[in-house]
Amino acid sequence: MKVSFPVAPEPEAHVAEAARQLFAGPVDFLKGVVAMDGLPPADRPEICFAGRSNVGKSSLINALTGRKGIARASNTPGRTQEINYFKLGERAFMVDLPGYGFAKAPLPVVQKWQTLLKSYLAGRPTLRRAFCLIDSRHGIKPVDHEIMTLLDRSAVPFQVVLTKADKLGPNAIKPVLAQCEEELQKHPAAFPELVVTSSEKADGIATLRAIIAGLD
């Protein structure tokens, strides 16, 4: 039976405001982790963001928190090799994973951080949901399926977040939504709602905040 993947609705006003207040509170960078033994204690819920390099992950995290520089985009592989942990007040961890599909770094470097990424996704007991970021202009690619399959095998629920929707017209997004729905039929761990966002125009940000705030 085909599973439907509608676009997540906007939250009710009181839900959106409570989520806004959560992200308006303290959001602090905790640490960058380069090996599994460096992870902080698994003492609270956490959510993570995964996506291909240049998908707009840093911009999305900055838009969620209302802080311009909390997550730094980088054109070099140095920072992107780390799993970056942020404290969302005392309620949860927000985790920025290394971008995958980055082809310009030396192969041993790529293999090292891909191994770290897969180890984290497969073995973090407090991970409530992974948010898989997909560029609205390109849809789901084979490299995205690799991460989604790992999440399936690890029984980690994940939700697709389309980024950079402002780059498309209102009708141009429709075939991308259809493509995502079709591709996600292959993944039992996929949460059956899509989130459409634009960090530049703040579209979908309140919706994503509300989803995250409701997970702990």
Side-chain angles (χ1 to χ4, degrees):
M1 186 175 73
K2 187 172 183 178
V3 179
S4 178
F5 284 83
V7 174
E10 291 187 13
E12 295 183 13
H14 70 282
V15 174
E17 177 58 19
R20 186 197 68 78
Q21 290 182 11
L22 172 64
F23 281 89
V27 181
D28 300 306
F29 177 71
L30 178 62
K31 65 188 302 190
V33 177
V34 296
M36 287 293 287
D37 59 7
L39 293 176
D43 60 0
R44 68 197 71 184
E46 60 191 68
I47 58 97
C48 71
F49 298 96
R52 299 192 305 272
S53 297
N54 301 319
V55 75
K57 188 155 44 68
S58 296
S59 296
L60 183 69
I61 292 172
N62 291 336
L64 284 169
T65 61
R67 296 159 172 85
K68 289 186 177 179
I70 192 162
R72 288 177 239 168
S74 176
N75 292 323
T76 64
R79 187 174 173 87
T80 53
Q81 289 179 58
E82 299 179 350
I83 294 177
N84 290 309
Y85 263 81
F86 300 88
K87 292 173 65 179
L88 196 53
E90 296 300 321
R91 280 181 55 178
F93 287 131
M94 187 168 62
V95 184
D96 181 11
L97 296 178
Y100 55 81
F102 190 82
K104 296 182 180 179
L107 185 59
V109 173
V110 174
Q111 290 175 334
K112 181 180 177 181
W113 90 65
Q114 297 289 27
T115 299
L116 175 62
L117 174 65
K118 291 176 181 179
S119 297
Y120 167 80
L121 291 176
R124 190 64 171 168
T126 46
L127 182 59
R128 292 287 187 270
R129 187 172 299 177
F131 291 94
C132 293
L133 276 52
I134 302 294
D135 191 319
S136 295
R137 298 169 297 180
H138 307 304
I140 295 173
K141 299 290 189 183
V143 69
D144 299 311
H145 281 298
E146 293 179 23
I147 297 299
M148 292 174 183
T149 298
L150 176 65
L151 290 163
D152 291 333
R153 292 172 180 165
S154 306
V156 175
F158 70 86
Q159 187 163 8
V160 164
V161 177
L162 291 163
T163 62
K164 306 182 183 182
D166 57 290
K167 307 298 184 186
L168 298 175
N171 292 322
I173 193 74
K174 292 179 181 178
V176 181
L177 295 173
Q179 187 256 5
C180 288
E181 181 171 78
E182 190 63 34
E183 295 297 318
L184 289 173
Q185 303 302 314
K186 306 168 186 175
H187 297 287
F191 186 80
E193 269 187 349
L194 305 173
V195 186
V196 179
T197 67
S198 163
S199 299
E200 189 170 315
K201 297 185 179 297
D203 295 339
I205 297 302
T207 300
L208 186 53
R209 283 177 181 154
I211 291 169
I212 293 169
L215 287 175
D216 62 354

